[in-house]
Amino acid sequence: MTTKHYDYLLVGQGLAGSLLGYSLLKRGCSVKIVDNYEQPSSSRVAAGIYNPVTGRKLVKTWLADTIFPFLKTYYTELESELGKNFFHPMPMFRPFPNQEVKDYLLQETAMTNYGDFGQYHTPNDSLKSVVKSELGGVMTDHSGWVDLPLMLDTFKEYFEKKQCLLQHLFDYQGLHLESNTYQVNNEWTLSFNKLIFCEGFYGRNNPYFSWLPFNPVKGEVLRVKFKEDISLKEMINQGVFVIPLSDGRARVGATYSWHELDWVPTSKGKLDLLEKYHKLMLADIDIEEHLAGVRPATKDRRPLVGIHPKYTNLGIFNGLGSKGVSLAPYFAEQLVDFLVNKKELDPEVNINRFGSLYLGQKQS
Ligand SMILES: Cc1cc2nc3c(=O)[nH]c(=O)nc-3n(C[C@H](O)[C@H](O)[C@H](O)COP(=O)(O)OP(=O)(O)OC[C@H]3O[C@@H](n4cnc5c(N)ncnc54)[C@H](O)[C@@H]3O)c2cc1C
């Protein structure tokens, strides 16, 4: 039996595991990441949007002033380090759906609360020829999208080159916490200082962390091709989002469903997206691809980060919900600061906020 030791063993090479693994390597830690790439991953379905102003009332998202400047620097540096172009800063235009909403947003203090994130916008003729926007709207800055499949493929190559990757389905039966080891097979064992689970949706079946309040949400997205030649330089969002891609294509999404948590695209999801698309956009489209995935969301809409209350060699980085692209860089760095430099975790993400759930589960 051969044993190899690592400072950190990570399970999952989605967005969470990739950024955490990368940050740990940057701090000089030894890392092994286990993923078998055979089960679906939320990151490979996601549209990858980051956007600091959301919701019907267009409010600034949680920690926007901190995480949005951070992510811009982070992804820009990451691109130059990995040598691929997956970061696409792009303004987002949100047409007012009706006069009532327009009046509300113009009169209420909401508009002034945006700071430098967005402003009232009257579309020019080019935008008006593509988007139904008679009432004007809000143009958001500091938004854009990340091509997550490309970024994850690039990370995969990067980790492979550094011999940090193990293609393998992690099996909890192989875990021996008394010796800090994981038995891969009859010939090979990994030993570690800490094991951090970055399993996305599958985390809710993890026997060590299933007490955490996961609240997964299914979502569906389309990749479409415009039937006519149009020029669109902004993302559009009202009921659905439309992200212009290259070659006259666009990504359209997304649906939200708390039922039937599977990865199967449905005709209901497709019709819902098409109906909302045609309410918003003038250009006709052909559907090229239809995908479904499950967002690893939580009941309090905050990430799940930290160390197990009893097994202090086990940790978790999960619960990124529908905002993984904006949250993951900041909290991957924060988790590494916590692990390596013993800095505090933000109490709003630290899983010890759910300590009573763990105790309750043990008693029942
Ligand atoms: C339709 C849709 C649209 C979305 N749009 C956006 C968006 O526009 N912007 C945004 O920020 N977010 C969006 N999201 C959310 C985003 O996808 C997530 O926040 C993020 O990708 C979660 O990353 P993760 O690494 O936690 O999980 P995942 O990407 O699911 O990764 C988990 C990984 O763990 C691996 N794994 C799990 N268990 C095991 C095991 N036992 N052994 C080995 N490997 C294992 C899996 O193979 C997988 O690779 C969207 C999600 C969906 C479904």
Side-chain angles (χ1 to χ4, degrees):
M1 174 84 72
T2 309
T3 302
K4 269 205 99 173
H5 180 79
Y6 295 90
D7 296 328
Y8 293 95
L9 180 60
L10 309 186
V11 178
Q13 196 241 309
L15 176 62
S18 297
L19 297 196
L20 182 61
Y22 178 73
S23 294
L24 286 167
L25 287 168
K26 286 263 152 209
R27 307 281 182 108
C29 304
S30 59
V31 177
K32 197 76 168 179
I33 306 178
V34 179
D35 199 316
N36 68 336
Y37 302 102
E38 276 170 26
Q39 60 236 311
S41 136
S42 177
S43 311
R44 290 186 177 273
V45 175
I49 294 177
Y50 62 94
N51 165 35
V53 182
T54 59
R56 263 166 42 87
K57 294 192 172 171
L58 298 190
V59 287
K60 261 204 282 188
T61 58
W62 177 59
L63 291 181
D65 292 314
T66 307
I67 62 175
F68 282 83
F70 186 89
L71 74 83
K72 199 170 173 190
T73 311
Y74 185 97
Y75 286 116
T76 306
E77 288 176 3
L78 192 58
E79 273 197 334
S80 69
E81 181 101 357
L82 299 183
K84 285 272 165 64
N85 175 222
F86 42 75
F87 180 53
H88 303 282
M90 196 177 274
M92 176 182 274
F93 178 59
R94 309 180 67 123
F96 297 124
N98 54 49
Q99 190 63 43
E100 198 189 336
V101 172
K102 178 174 180 173
D103 292 345
Y104 168 82
L105 289 171
L106 292 180
Q107 282 162 21
E108 294 291 316
T109 51
M111 283 302 275
T112 55
N113 282 342
Y114 295 159
D116 66 344
F117 284 130
Q119 57 268 287
Y120 176 67
H121 183 78
T122 312
N124 58 20
D125 286 347
S126 156
L127 196 53
K128 266 199 256 174
S129 70
V130 184
V131 186
K132 297 177 186 169
S133 53
E134 299 76 19
L135 297 171
V138 170
M139 190 70 90
T140 312
D141 293 324
H142 303 281
S143 51
W145 64 285
V146 173
D147 185 339
L148 287 178
L150 175 62
M151 189 178 88
L152 294 193
D153 286 345
T154 311
F155 262 127
K156 189 168 178 235
E157 276 175 35
Y158 172 87
F159 292 133
E160 264 163 357
K161 272 196 197 130
K162 293 194 173 292
Q163 302 191 324
C164 292
L165 212 54
L166 175 65
Q167 292 212 23
H168 169 79
L169 176 66
F170 183 90
D171 180 353
Y172 305 106
Q173 303 287 334
L175 192 54
H176 301 287
L177 290 177
E178 60 298 339
S179 57
N180 271 16
T181 56
Y182 174 70
Q183 194 170 339
V184 180
N185 52 36
N186 290 337
E187 282 136 41
W188 199 25
T189 296
L190 302 173
S191 88
F192 53 84
N193 294 342
K194 287 222 182 328
L195 163 52
I196 314 286
F197 290 104
C198 311
E199 302 160 288
F201 170 64
Y202 307 93
R204 70 176 190 160
N205 301 323
N206 183 318
Y208 299 97
F209 288 102
S210 55
W211 48 276
L212 287 167
F214 288 95
N215 188 24
V217 190
K218 181 172 176 178
E220 301 186 37
V221 285
L222 305 173
R223 194 186 68 228
V224 302
K225 187 157 174 46
F226 294 115
K227 283 190 180 171
E228 54 224 80
D229 198 13
I230 64 160
S231 156
L232 189 58
K233 298 194 166 40
E234 304 84 2
M235 298 185 288
I236 311 296
N237 193 343
Q238 184 52 253
V240 284
F241 60 74
V242 179
I243 309 175
L245 307 171
S246 54
D247 307 333
R249 292 182 165 79
R251 181 93 50 215
V252 177
T255 60
Y256 285 79
S257 165
W258 285 261
H259 313 289
E260 291 161 5
L261 297 172
D262 56 37
W263 305 72
V264 184
T266 64
S267 51
K268 181 175 176 300
K270 180 163 73 180
L271 288 176
D272 184 28
L273 290 174
L274 284 179
E275 192 185 320
K276 288 180 176 154
Y277 171 86
H278 287 297
K279 262 194 196 161
L280 177 65
M281 303 289 288
L282 290 160
D284 260 345
I285 46 173
D286 287 320
I287 296 175
E288 291 190 335
E289 184 182 50
H290 179 191
L291 298 173
V294 188
R295 305 170 182 90
T298 59
K299 291 249 161 72
D300 68 354
R301 297 173 176 215
R302 297 288 179 259
L304 299 169
V305 188
I307 294 298
H308 193 279
K310 179 173 176 195
Y311 304 107
T312 54
N313 45 0
L314 297 184
I316 187 165
F317 185 32
N318 204 322
L320 294 173
S322 57
K323 297 195 170 64
V325 166
S326 29
L327 296 172
Y330 183 75
F331 285 108
E333 284 292 309
Q334 192 175 105
L335 177 54
V336 174
D337 271 337
F338 167 79
L339 294 168
V340 176
N341 300 328
K342 311 272 178 271
K343 287 201 183 158
E344 292 277 304
L345 281 175
D346 184 332
E348 283 198 78
V349 305
N350 193 331
I351 55 165
N352 67 15
R353 70 193 188 277
F354 297 119
S356 59
L357 294 181
Y358 178 67
L359 292 174
Q361 173 214 244
K362 271 184 32 184
Q363 277 154 15
S364 61

